[in-house]
Short mmCIF file of all heavy atoms in Angstrom, two decimals:
data_model
loop_
_atom_site.label_atom_id
_atom_site.label_comp_id
_atom_site.label_asym_id
_atom_site.label_seq_id
_atom_site.Cartn_x
_atom_site.Cartn_y
_atom_site.Cartn_z
N MET V 1 -14.43 -14.38 28.45
CA MET V 1 -13.58 -13.37 29.08
C MET V 1 -13.43 -12.27 28.07
O MET V 1 -13.31 -12.43 26.84
CB MET V 1 -12.23 -13.92 29.26
CG MET V 1 -11.18 -13.04 29.79
SD MET V 1 -9.67 -13.92 30.25
CE MET V 1 -9.38 -13.11 31.90
N VAL V 2 -13.50 -10.96 28.60
CA VAL V 2 -13.27 -9.83 27.75
C VAL V 2 -11.85 -9.26 28.05
O VAL V 2 -11.46 -9.05 29.17
CB VAL V 2 -14.34 -8.69 28.06
CG1 VAL V 2 -14.17 -7.51 27.25
CG2 VAL V 2 -15.79 -9.30 27.81
N TYR V 3 -11.15 -8.97 26.99
CA TYR V 3 -9.83 -8.40 27.04
C TYR V 3 -9.88 -6.85 26.88
O TYR V 3 -10.81 -6.40 26.39
CB TYR V 3 -8.80 -9.08 26.06
CG TYR V 3 -8.75 -10.62 26.37
CD1 TYR V 3 -9.50 -11.59 25.74
CD2 TYR V 3 -7.88 -11.03 27.29
CE1 TYR V 3 -9.36 -12.91 25.98
CE2 TYR V 3 -7.65 -12.37 27.62
CZ TYR V 3 -8.44 -13.28 26.92
OH TYR V 3 -8.29 -14.62 27.22
N PRO V 4 -8.73 -6.26 27.12
CA PRO V 4 -8.62 -4.83 26.78
C PRO V 4 -8.99 -4.47 25.39
O PRO V 4 -8.77 -5.35 24.43
CB PRO V 4 -7.14 -4.40 27.11
CG PRO V 4 -6.73 -5.49 28.18
CD PRO V 4 -7.41 -6.75 27.75
N GLU V 5 -9.41 -3.31 25.11
CA GLU V 5 -9.94 -2.91 23.79
C GLU V 5 -8.93 -3.13 22.70
O GLU V 5 -9.39 -3.64 21.65
CB GLU V 5 -10.22 -1.38 23.81
CG GLU V 5 -10.91 -0.88 22.52
CD GLU V 5 -11.14 0.59 22.50
OE1 GLU V 5 -11.22 1.19 23.73
OE2 GLU V 5 -11.53 1.19 21.50
N ALA V 6 -7.67 -2.92 22.89
CA ALA V 6 -6.64 -3.19 21.70
C ALA V 6 -6.60 -4.70 21.38
O ALA V 6 -6.60 -5.05 20.17
CB ALA V 6 -5.29 -2.75 22.25
N ILE V 7 -6.77 -5.52 22.39
CA ILE V 7 -6.83 -6.99 22.11
C ILE V 7 -8.08 -7.38 21.49
O ILE V 7 -8.06 -8.13 20.50
CB ILE V 7 -6.52 -7.72 23.45
CG1 ILE V 7 -5.09 -7.48 23.87
CG2 ILE V 7 -6.69 -9.28 23.12
CD1 ILE V 7 -4.71 -7.98 25.32
N GLU V 8 -9.22 -6.90 22.00
CA GLU V 8 -10.51 -7.21 21.40
C GLU V 8 -10.53 -6.80 19.99
O GLU V 8 -11.09 -7.48 19.06
CB GLU V 8 -11.60 -6.57 22.22
CG GLU V 8 -11.82 -7.32 23.55
CD GLU V 8 -12.31 -8.72 23.46
OE1 GLU V 8 -12.85 -9.17 22.46
OE2 GLU V 8 -12.22 -9.38 24.48
N ASN V 9 -9.92 -5.70 19.69
CA ASN V 9 -9.93 -5.14 18.31
C ASN V 9 -9.08 -6.10 17.47
O ASN V 9 -9.49 -6.43 16.25
CB ASN V 9 -9.36 -3.69 18.22
CG ASN V 9 -9.35 -3.05 16.89
OD1 ASN V 9 -10.25 -3.24 16.10
ND2 ASN V 9 -8.21 -2.39 16.60
N GLY V 10 -7.96 -6.48 17.81
CA GLY V 10 -7.22 -7.48 17.07
C GLY V 10 -7.88 -8.72 16.87
O GLY V 10 -7.97 -9.35 15.77
N VAL V 11 -8.59 -9.27 17.84
CA VAL V 11 -9.42 -10.48 17.79
C VAL V 11 -10.50 -10.30 16.70
O VAL V 11 -10.61 -11.16 15.74
CB VAL V 11 -10.04 -10.85 19.08
CG1 VAL V 11 -11.20 -12.02 18.91
CG2 VAL V 11 -9.03 -11.35 20.12
N SER V 12 -11.18 -9.20 16.72
CA SER V 12 -12.21 -8.87 15.75
C SER V 12 -11.68 -8.86 14.28
O SER V 12 -12.29 -9.43 13.37
CB SER V 12 -12.96 -7.60 16.00
OG SER V 12 -13.65 -7.73 17.22
N ARG V 13 -10.63 -8.15 14.18
CA ARG V 13 -9.95 -8.04 12.90
C ARG V 13 -9.54 -9.41 12.33
O ARG V 13 -9.63 -9.77 11.15
CB ARG V 13 -8.76 -7.00 12.81
CG ARG V 13 -9.34 -5.66 13.10
CD ARG V 13 -8.12 -4.64 13.42
NE ARG V 13 -7.29 -4.58 12.26
CZ ARG V 13 -6.06 -4.18 12.45
NH1 ARG V 13 -5.49 -3.79 13.62
NH2 ARG V 13 -5.20 -4.14 11.30
N ILE V 14 -8.91 -10.24 13.15
CA ILE V 14 -8.44 -11.64 12.70
C ILE V 14 -9.61 -12.46 12.46
O ILE V 14 -9.65 -13.23 11.46
CB ILE V 14 -7.46 -12.17 13.79
CG1 ILE V 14 -6.13 -11.38 13.84
CG2 ILE V 14 -7.23 -13.62 13.49
CD1 ILE V 14 -5.16 -11.73 14.78
N THR V 15 -10.56 -12.44 13.36
CA THR V 15 -11.82 -13.21 13.13
C THR V 15 -12.35 -13.09 11.83
O THR V 15 -12.89 -14.03 11.17
CB THR V 15 -12.82 -12.95 14.33
OG1 THR V 15 -12.24 -13.32 15.54
CG2 THR V 15 -14.05 -13.83 14.11
N ALA V 16 -12.42 -11.90 11.26
CA ALA V 16 -13.08 -11.54 10.07
C ALA V 16 -12.28 -12.23 8.85
O ALA V 16 -12.86 -12.47 7.81
CB ALA V 16 -13.01 -10.05 9.80
N LEU V 17 -11.01 -12.62 9.07
CA LEU V 17 -10.22 -13.23 8.14
C LEU V 17 -10.26 -14.79 8.04
O LEU V 17 -9.79 -15.39 7.10
CB LEU V 17 -8.78 -12.75 8.15
CG LEU V 17 -8.51 -11.29 7.96
CD1 LEU V 17 -7.06 -10.92 8.46
CD2 LEU V 17 -8.77 -10.84 6.53
N LEU V 18 -10.80 -15.31 9.07
CA LEU V 18 -10.70 -16.82 9.31
C LEU V 18 -11.91 -17.48 8.64
O LEU V 18 -13.11 -16.99 8.76
CB LEU V 18 -10.68 -17.07 10.76
CG LEU V 18 -9.39 -16.61 11.61
CD1 LEU V 18 -9.61 -16.85 13.10
CD2 LEU V 18 -8.24 -17.14 11.04
N PRO V 19 -11.57 -18.77 8.18
CA PRO V 19 -12.70 -19.57 7.65
C PRO V 19 -13.32 -20.28 8.81
O PRO V 19 -12.83 -20.24 9.91
CB PRO V 19 -11.88 -20.58 6.77
CG PRO V 19 -10.57 -20.74 7.40
CD PRO V 19 -10.22 -19.36 8.01
N GLU V 20 -14.36 -20.96 8.55
CA GLU V 20 -15.06 -21.79 9.58
C GLU V 20 -14.13 -22.92 9.89
O GLU V 20 -13.33 -23.36 9.03
CB GLU V 20 -16.32 -22.45 9.00
CG GLU V 20 -17.41 -21.36 8.76
CD GLU V 20 -17.79 -20.61 10.06
OE1 GLU V 20 -17.82 -21.25 11.18
OE2 GLU V 20 -18.02 -19.44 9.87
N ALA V 21 -14.13 -23.33 11.21
CA ALA V 21 -13.17 -24.39 11.71
C ALA V 21 -13.86 -25.05 12.86
O ALA V 21 -14.85 -24.64 13.40
CB ALA V 21 -11.86 -23.67 12.14
N PRO V 22 -13.26 -26.25 13.33
CA PRO V 22 -13.78 -27.03 14.31
C PRO V 22 -13.87 -26.35 15.66
O PRO V 22 -14.58 -26.75 16.47
CB PRO V 22 -12.91 -28.17 14.40
CG PRO V 22 -12.17 -28.33 13.06
CD PRO V 22 -12.07 -26.94 12.57
N ILE V 23 -13.10 -25.35 15.80
CA ILE V 23 -13.09 -24.53 17.05
C ILE V 23 -13.53 -23.13 16.80
O ILE V 23 -13.48 -22.69 15.54
CB ILE V 23 -11.86 -24.61 17.88
CG1 ILE V 23 -10.67 -23.91 17.04
CG2 ILE V 23 -11.44 -26.04 18.32
CD1 ILE V 23 -9.29 -23.75 17.95
N SER V 24 -13.88 -22.29 17.75
CA SER V 24 -14.35 -21.01 17.42
C SER V 24 -13.32 -20.10 16.81
O SER V 24 -12.10 -20.15 17.13
CB SER V 24 -14.93 -20.34 18.67
OG SER V 24 -13.88 -19.86 19.58
N LYS V 25 -13.84 -19.24 15.94
CA LYS V 25 -12.91 -18.23 15.36
C LYS V 25 -12.21 -17.32 16.42
O LYS V 25 -11.06 -16.98 16.28
CB LYS V 25 -13.67 -17.40 14.38
CG LYS V 25 -14.13 -18.07 13.14
CD LYS V 25 -14.83 -16.99 12.16
CE LYS V 25 -15.22 -17.76 10.97
NZ LYS V 25 -15.83 -16.86 9.91
N ARG V 26 -12.97 -16.99 17.45
CA ARG V 26 -12.41 -16.21 18.58
C ARG V 26 -11.26 -16.92 19.19
O ARG V 26 -10.18 -16.28 19.45
CB ARG V 26 -13.52 -15.90 19.60
CG ARG V 26 -12.97 -15.07 20.77
CD ARG V 26 -14.17 -14.67 21.71
NE ARG V 26 -13.49 -14.01 22.96
CZ ARG V 26 -13.18 -12.71 22.97
NH1 ARG V 26 -13.30 -11.98 21.93
NH2 ARG V 26 -12.69 -12.19 24.09
N SER V 27 -11.44 -18.17 19.40
CA SER V 27 -10.27 -19.01 20.07
C SER V 27 -9.14 -19.05 19.15
O SER V 27 -7.92 -18.86 19.60
CB SER V 27 -10.74 -20.40 20.32
OG SER V 27 -11.74 -20.46 21.38
N LEU V 28 -9.33 -19.25 17.87
CA LEU V 28 -8.18 -19.20 16.90
C LEU V 28 -7.55 -17.84 16.87
O LEU V 28 -6.24 -17.83 16.85
CB LEU V 28 -8.72 -19.52 15.54
CG LEU V 28 -9.12 -21.03 15.29
CD1 LEU V 28 -9.81 -21.10 13.92
CD2 LEU V 28 -7.82 -21.90 15.29
N ALA V 29 -8.33 -16.78 16.88
CA ALA V 29 -7.75 -15.44 16.82
C ALA V 29 -6.89 -15.13 18.12
O ALA V 29 -5.80 -14.56 17.94
CB ALA V 29 -8.84 -14.40 16.72
N LEU V 30 -7.37 -15.59 19.22
CA LEU V 30 -6.63 -15.44 20.53
C LEU V 30 -5.32 -16.24 20.38
O LEU V 30 -4.25 -15.72 20.81
CB LEU V 30 -7.39 -15.85 21.70
CG LEU V 30 -8.52 -14.88 22.05
CD1 LEU V 30 -9.49 -15.48 23.08
CD2 LEU V 30 -7.98 -13.54 22.70
N MET V 31 -5.41 -17.43 19.91
CA MET V 31 -4.15 -18.22 19.77
C MET V 31 -3.14 -17.55 18.82
O MET V 31 -2.05 -17.50 19.08
CB MET V 31 -4.48 -19.54 19.32
CG MET V 31 -5.30 -20.38 20.26
SD MET V 31 -6.12 -21.96 19.64
CE MET V 31 -4.72 -22.93 19.16
N LEU V 32 -3.71 -17.06 17.77
CA LEU V 32 -2.87 -16.40 16.71
C LEU V 32 -2.13 -15.10 17.40
O LEU V 32 -0.98 -14.90 17.21
CB LEU V 32 -3.62 -16.04 15.50
CG LEU V 32 -3.94 -17.21 14.59
CD1 LEU V 32 -5.00 -16.85 13.63
CD2 LEU V 32 -2.74 -17.83 14.06
N LEU V 33 -3.03 -14.32 18.12
CA LEU V 33 -2.48 -13.08 18.79
C LEU V 33 -1.38 -13.55 19.76
O LEU V 33 -0.37 -12.81 19.94
CB LEU V 33 -3.49 -12.36 19.45
CG LEU V 33 -4.40 -11.48 18.57
CD1 LEU V 33 -5.47 -10.78 19.41
CD2 LEU V 33 -3.58 -10.40 17.83
N ALA V 34 -1.57 -14.61 20.42
CA ALA V 34 -0.53 -15.08 21.44
C ALA V 34 0.68 -15.66 20.78
O ALA V 34 1.69 -15.94 21.46
CB ALA V 34 -1.19 -16.15 22.36
N GLY V 35 0.67 -15.74 19.37
CA GLY V 35 1.78 -16.31 18.73
C GLY V 35 1.93 -17.85 18.62
O GLY V 35 3.11 -18.38 18.61
N ASP V 36 0.81 -18.55 18.69
CA ASP V 36 0.86 -19.97 18.76
C ASP V 36 1.26 -20.48 17.30
O ASP V 36 0.62 -20.38 16.38
CB ASP V 36 -0.62 -20.51 19.07
CG ASP V 36 -0.72 -21.96 19.31
OD1 ASP V 36 0.18 -22.74 18.69
OD2 ASP V 36 -1.48 -22.47 19.93
N GLU V 37 2.46 -21.06 17.33
CA GLU V 37 3.05 -21.50 16.09
C GLU V 37 2.44 -22.85 15.62
O GLU V 37 2.58 -23.23 14.51
CB GLU V 37 4.62 -21.69 16.20
CG GLU V 37 5.32 -20.31 16.43
CD GLU V 37 5.35 -19.47 15.26
OE1 GLU V 37 5.30 -19.94 14.11
OE2 GLU V 37 5.19 -18.28 15.51
N SER V 38 1.73 -23.52 16.51
CA SER V 38 1.13 -24.83 16.05
C SER V 38 0.14 -24.64 15.10
O SER V 38 -0.31 -25.64 14.35
CB SER V 38 0.52 -25.59 17.29
OG SER V 38 -0.56 -24.90 17.81
N LEU V 39 -0.35 -23.30 14.80
CA LEU V 39 -1.42 -23.10 13.84
C LEU V 39 -0.81 -22.87 12.40
O LEU V 39 -1.55 -22.68 11.42
CB LEU V 39 -2.31 -21.98 14.19
CG LEU V 39 -3.04 -22.17 15.55
CD1 LEU V 39 -3.72 -20.83 15.88
CD2 LEU V 39 -4.12 -23.30 15.28
N ALA V 40 0.49 -22.78 12.27
CA ALA V 40 1.13 -22.43 10.94
C ALA V 40 0.61 -23.37 9.86
O ALA V 40 0.15 -22.76 8.68
CB ALA V 40 2.64 -22.43 11.11
N GLU V 41 0.60 -24.56 10.00
CA GLU V 41 0.26 -25.53 8.97
C GLU V 41 -1.21 -25.30 8.54
O GLU V 41 -1.53 -25.33 7.44
CB GLU V 41 0.53 -27.01 9.29
CG GLU V 41 0.15 -27.96 8.26
CD GLU V 41 0.42 -29.43 8.64
OE1 GLU V 41 1.38 -29.56 9.58
OE2 GLU V 41 -0.06 -30.31 7.98
N TRP V 42 -2.01 -25.27 9.57
CA TRP V 42 -3.48 -25.03 9.41
C TRP V 42 -3.70 -23.77 8.54
O TRP V 42 -4.54 -23.63 7.66
CB TRP V 42 -4.21 -25.01 10.73
CG TRP V 42 -5.76 -24.79 10.52
CD1 TRP V 42 -6.66 -25.83 10.30
CD2 TRP V 42 -6.44 -23.61 10.50
NE1 TRP V 42 -7.91 -25.29 10.16
CE2 TRP V 42 -7.80 -24.00 10.32
CE3 TRP V 42 -6.16 -22.32 10.71
CZ2 TRP V 42 -8.79 -22.98 10.25
CZ3 TRP V 42 -7.11 -21.29 10.56
CH2 TRP V 42 -8.41 -21.64 10.41
N LEU V 43 -3.01 -22.74 8.93
CA LEU V 43 -3.21 -21.40 8.25
C LEU V 43 -2.84 -21.52 6.78
O LEU V 43 -3.62 -21.06 5.92
CB LEU V 43 -2.24 -20.36 8.95
CG LEU V 43 -2.72 -19.69 10.23
CD1 LEU V 43 -1.64 -18.81 10.68
CD2 LEU V 43 -4.04 -19.02 10.12
N HIS V 44 -1.74 -22.20 6.51
CA HIS V 44 -1.23 -22.36 5.15
C HIS V 44 -2.23 -23.17 4.20
O HIS V 44 -2.28 -23.04 3.03
CB HIS V 44 0.16 -22.76 5.08
CG HIS V 44 1.12 -21.70 5.46
ND1 HIS V 44 1.49 -20.64 4.59
CD2 HIS V 44 1.76 -21.48 6.59
CE1 HIS V 44 2.31 -19.86 5.17
NE2 HIS V 44 2.48 -20.29 6.50
N LYS V 45 -2.90 -24.15 4.92
CA LYS V 45 -3.93 -24.95 4.19
C LYS V 45 -5.23 -24.33 3.98
O LYS V 45 -5.97 -24.62 3.14
CB LYS V 45 -4.11 -26.22 5.02
CG LYS V 45 -3.07 -27.30 4.93
CD LYS V 45 -3.40 -28.49 5.70
CE LYS V 45 -2.40 -29.57 5.68
NZ LYS V 45 -2.67 -30.69 6.39
N ASN V 46 -5.54 -23.33 4.91
CA ASN V 46 -6.92 -22.70 4.87
C ASN V 46 -7.07 -21.24 4.49
O ASN V 46 -8.19 -20.74 4.30
CB ASN V 46 -7.58 -22.96 6.24
CG ASN V 46 -7.85 -24.50 6.51
OD1 ASN V 46 -8.76 -25.04 5.96
ND2 ASN V 46 -6.95 -25.00 7.25
N LEU V 47 -5.91 -20.55 4.48
CA LEU V 47 -5.99 -19.22 4.04
C LEU V 47 -5.08 -18.86 3.01
O LEU V 47 -4.03 -19.45 2.75
CB LEU V 47 -5.60 -18.29 5.38
CG LEU V 47 -6.72 -18.08 6.31
CD1 LEU V 47 -6.59 -19.14 7.35
CD2 LEU V 47 -6.59 -16.75 6.97
N SER V 48 -5.32 -17.69 2.28
CA SER V 48 -4.38 -17.15 1.31
C SER V 48 -3.23 -16.66 1.98
O SER V 48 -3.21 -16.19 3.07
CB SER V 48 -5.07 -16.13 0.39
OG SER V 48 -5.39 -15.00 1.19
N GLU V 49 -2.13 -16.48 1.18
CA GLU V 49 -0.91 -15.83 1.73
C GLU V 49 -1.20 -14.41 2.12
O GLU V 49 -0.69 -13.88 3.10
CB GLU V 49 0.21 -15.96 0.67
CG GLU V 49 1.49 -15.49 1.09
CD GLU V 49 2.15 -16.42 2.19
OE1 GLU V 49 1.75 -17.65 2.23
OE2 GLU V 49 2.83 -15.96 3.17
N LYS V 50 -2.12 -13.76 1.30
CA LYS V 50 -2.47 -12.30 1.70
C LYS V 50 -3.04 -12.27 3.03
O LYS V 50 -2.74 -11.37 3.80
CB LYS V 50 -3.41 -11.78 0.55
CG LYS V 50 -3.91 -10.41 0.90
CD LYS V 50 -4.87 -9.99 -0.19
CE LYS V 50 -5.54 -8.69 0.23
NZ LYS V 50 -6.60 -8.39 -0.72
N ASP V 51 -4.02 -13.22 3.28
CA ASP V 51 -4.69 -13.24 4.70
C ASP V 51 -3.64 -13.51 5.72
O ASP V 51 -3.82 -12.97 6.84
CB ASP V 51 -5.88 -14.13 4.62
CG ASP V 51 -7.05 -13.63 3.85
OD1 ASP V 51 -7.11 -12.39 3.58
OD2 ASP V 51 -7.92 -14.47 3.48
N ILE V 52 -2.78 -14.48 5.52
CA ILE V 52 -1.74 -14.77 6.54
C ILE V 52 -0.96 -13.60 6.78
O ILE V 52 -0.60 -13.36 7.99
CB ILE V 52 -0.93 -15.97 6.01
CG1 ILE V 52 -1.82 -17.26 5.93
CG2 ILE V 52 0.29 -16.26 6.99
CD1 ILE V 52 -1.18 -18.46 5.29
N LEU V 53 -0.52 -12.85 5.86
CA LEU V 53 0.26 -11.66 6.02
C LEU V 53 -0.55 -10.60 6.77
O LEU V 53 0.08 -9.88 7.67
CB LEU V 53 0.79 -11.10 4.73
CG LEU V 53 1.82 -11.93 4.01
CD1 LEU V 53 2.13 -11.37 2.67
CD2 LEU V 53 3.11 -12.08 4.81
N GLN V 54 -1.78 -10.45 6.47
CA GLN V 54 -2.62 -9.54 7.20
C GLN V 54 -2.85 -9.94 8.69
O GLN V 54 -2.67 -9.07 9.54
CB GLN V 54 -3.99 -9.48 6.62
CG GLN V 54 -4.92 -8.41 7.12
CD GLN V 54 -4.36 -7.01 7.01
OE1 GLN V 54 -3.75 -6.67 6.09
NE2 GLN V 54 -4.75 -6.17 7.99
N ILE V 55 -2.93 -11.22 8.94
CA ILE V 55 -2.97 -11.60 10.44
C ILE V 55 -1.73 -11.30 11.02
O ILE V 55 -1.68 -10.86 12.14
CB ILE V 55 -3.38 -13.16 10.43
CG1 ILE V 55 -4.81 -13.39 10.03
CG2 ILE V 55 -3.11 -13.77 11.72
CD1 ILE V 55 -5.23 -14.75 9.78
N GLU V 56 -0.57 -11.52 10.45
CA GLU V 56 0.72 -11.27 11.00
C GLU V 56 0.84 -9.77 11.35
O GLU V 56 1.28 -9.39 12.41
CB GLU V 56 1.90 -11.73 10.18
CG GLU V 56 3.22 -11.54 10.83
CD GLU V 56 3.41 -12.14 12.14
OE1 GLU V 56 2.83 -13.09 12.51
OE2 GLU V 56 4.32 -11.60 12.90
N LYS V 57 0.36 -8.96 10.42
CA LYS V 57 0.43 -7.51 10.63
C LYS V 57 -0.46 -7.08 11.82
O LYS V 57 -0.01 -6.30 12.65
CB LYS V 57 -0.14 -6.78 9.45
CG LYS V 57 -0.08 -5.31 9.45
CD LYS V 57 -0.53 -4.63 8.24
CE LYS V 57 -0.64 -3.08 8.42
NZ LYS V 57 -1.57 -2.47 7.44
N ILE V 58 -1.58 -7.69 11.90
CA ILE V 58 -2.53 -7.29 13.05
C ILE V 58 -1.79 -7.86 14.35
O ILE V 58 -1.86 -7.16 15.35
CB ILE V 58 -3.85 -8.03 12.86
CG1 ILE V 58 -4.60 -7.49 11.69
CG2 ILE V 58 -4.68 -7.94 14.11
CD1 ILE V 58 -5.79 -8.26 11.18
N ARG V 59 -1.23 -9.03 14.30
CA ARG V 59 -0.56 -9.51 15.60
C ARG V 59 0.54 -8.55 15.92
O ARG V 59 0.72 -8.28 17.22
CB ARG V 59 -0.05 -10.98 15.24
CG ARG V 59 0.46 -11.65 16.50
CD ARG V 59 1.12 -13.00 16.27
NE ARG V 59 2.39 -12.91 15.55
CZ ARG V 59 3.50 -12.49 16.31
NH1 ARG V 59 3.42 -12.22 17.59
NH2 ARG V 59 4.64 -12.34 15.70
N GLN V 60 1.29 -8.15 15.00
CA GLN V 60 2.43 -7.20 15.34
C GLN V 60 1.88 -5.95 15.88
O GLN V 60 2.52 -5.33 16.81
CB GLN V 60 3.30 -7.06 14.14
CG GLN V 60 4.19 -8.16 13.78
CD GLN V 60 4.97 -7.99 12.60
OE1 GLN V 60 4.97 -6.94 11.91
NE2 GLN V 60 5.67 -9.02 12.12
N GLU V 61 0.72 -5.39 15.33
CA GLU V 61 0.22 -4.17 15.84
C GLU V 61 -0.31 -4.34 17.29
O GLU V 61 -0.31 -3.36 17.98
CB GLU V 61 -0.90 -3.68 14.89
CG GLU V 61 -0.48 -3.21 13.47
CD GLU V 61 -1.53 -2.95 12.52
OE1 GLU V 61 -2.73 -3.26 12.90
OE2 GLU V 61 -1.27 -2.64 11.48
N THR V 62 -0.86 -5.51 17.55
CA THR V 62 -1.49 -5.76 18.85
C THR V 62 -0.47 -6.18 19.92
O THR V 62 -0.71 -5.98 21.08
CB THR V 62 -2.54 -6.87 18.62
OG1 THR V 62 -3.43 -6.51 17.66
CG2 THR V 62 -3.33 -7.05 19.94
N GLN V 63 0.73 -6.66 19.49
CA GLN V 63 1.67 -7.22 20.43
C GLN V 63 1.98 -6.33 21.55
O GLN V 63 2.16 -6.73 22.74
CB GLN V 63 2.91 -7.58 19.61
CG GLN V 63 3.78 -8.57 20.39
CD GLN V 63 3.15 -9.98 20.44
OE1 GLN V 63 2.37 -10.29 19.65
NE2 GLN V 63 3.41 -10.67 21.54
N PRO V 64 2.17 -4.98 21.30
CA PRO V 64 2.55 -4.06 22.44
C PRO V 64 1.48 -4.08 23.58
O PRO V 64 1.79 -3.70 24.70
CB PRO V 64 2.68 -2.62 21.87
CG PRO V 64 2.97 -3.00 20.32
CD PRO V 64 2.30 -4.25 20.02
N SER V 65 0.17 -4.37 23.17
CA SER V 65 -0.89 -4.43 24.23
C SER V 65 -0.83 -5.69 25.10
O SER V 65 -1.59 -5.77 26.05
CB SER V 65 -2.21 -4.32 23.54
OG SER V 65 -2.23 -3.17 22.72
N LEU V 66 -0.02 -6.66 24.70
CA LEU V 66 0.05 -8.00 25.37
C LEU V 66 1.15 -7.83 26.46
O LEU V 66 2.28 -8.38 26.34
CB LEU V 66 0.38 -9.10 24.48
CG LEU V 66 -0.74 -9.33 23.32
CD1 LEU V 66 -0.23 -10.42 22.40
CD2 LEU V 66 -2.05 -9.60 23.90
N LEU V 67 0.81 -7.20 27.52
CA LEU V 67 1.75 -6.90 28.64
C LEU V 67 2.09 -8.27 29.35
O LEU V 67 3.12 -8.48 29.92
CB LEU V 67 1.32 -5.96 29.62
CG LEU V 67 1.10 -4.58 28.97
CD1 LEU V 67 0.50 -3.60 30.04
CD2 LEU V 67 2.38 -4.03 28.41
N SER V 68 1.12 -9.18 29.30
CA SER V 68 1.24 -10.44 29.92
C SER V 68 0.67 -11.57 29.00
O SER V 68 -0.16 -11.15 28.19
CB SER V 68 0.67 -10.51 31.29
OG SER V 68 -0.72 -10.26 31.22
N PRO V 69 0.93 -12.77 29.20
CA PRO V 69 0.39 -13.83 28.34
C PRO V 69 -1.13 -13.75 28.40
O PRO V 69 -1.75 -13.47 29.56
CB PRO V 69 0.97 -15.07 28.92
CG PRO V 69 2.19 -14.77 29.67
CD PRO V 69 1.93 -13.32 30.16
N LEU V 70 -1.80 -14.20 27.36
CA LEU V 70 -3.26 -14.18 27.27
C LEU V 70 -3.70 -15.47 27.99
O LEU V 70 -3.17 -16.57 27.84
CB LEU V 70 -3.78 -14.32 25.85
CG LEU V 70 -3.66 -13.11 25.07
CD1 LEU V 70 -4.14 -13.37 23.59
CD2 LEU V 70 -4.40 -11.96 25.59
N ASP V 71 -4.67 -15.25 28.98
CA ASP V 71 -5.33 -16.51 29.67
C ASP V 71 -6.57 -16.82 28.79
O ASP V 71 -7.31 -15.99 28.43
CB ASP V 71 -5.70 -16.08 31.04
CG ASP V 71 -4.52 -15.78 31.93
OD1 ASP V 71 -3.51 -16.39 31.72
OD2 ASP V 71 -4.75 -14.90 32.80
N PHE V 72 -6.77 -18.19 28.57
CA PHE V 72 -7.90 -18.64 27.80
C PHE V 72 -8.88 -19.25 28.81
O PHE V 72 -8.58 -19.92 29.60
CB PHE V 72 -7.38 -19.69 26.78
CG PHE V 72 -6.46 -19.10 25.70
CD1 PHE V 72 -5.12 -19.26 25.76
CD2 PHE V 72 -7.13 -18.44 24.63
CE1 PHE V 72 -4.28 -18.79 24.88
CE2 PHE V 72 -6.25 -17.85 23.65
CZ PHE V 72 -4.85 -18.01 23.76
#
């Protein structure tokens, strides 16, 4: 599925910060943009605090583009 440009941009920016994982980086990025709190522990185990803060910044910048929940 292709999302509006602002969301795709956020996905790309977050994907670049993510390590390899059992699921696709794109799926993780979409979950993070949607505010999925279940990833908090995984983030803290696998990313630096700097990268986590950057992801949160991207999420906040992208949030206005999320007029409705993301469909996966």
Side-chain angles (χ1 to χ4, degrees):
M1 174 173 230
V2 177
Y3 295 98
E5 183 178 348
I7 295 171
E8 290 292 344
N9 183 40
V11 167
S12 293
R13 292 170 61 202
I14 290 174
T15 298
L17 298 169
L18 297 175
E20 292 302 319
I23 65 172
S24 76
K25 290 182 181 186
R26 180 175 173 80
S27 294
L28 287 171
L30 287 166
M31 292 168 68
L32 290 165
L33 281 177
D36 189 332
E37 294 295 324
S38 70
L39 294 173
E41 183 179 340
W42 182 86
L43 286 174
H44 288 282
K45 285 183 179 178
N46 293 284
L47 280 93
S48 69
E49 192 63 31
K50 178 183 171 190
D51 286 343
I52 293 170
L53 292 173
Q54 184 64 29
I55 288 170
E56 180 58 24
K57 180 181 177 200
I58 295 166
R59 193 185 71 75
Q60 288 177 3
E61 292 170 358
T62 308
Q63 201 68 31
S65 299
L66 301 176
L67 300 177
S68 59
L70 291 176
D71 293 327
F72 295 100

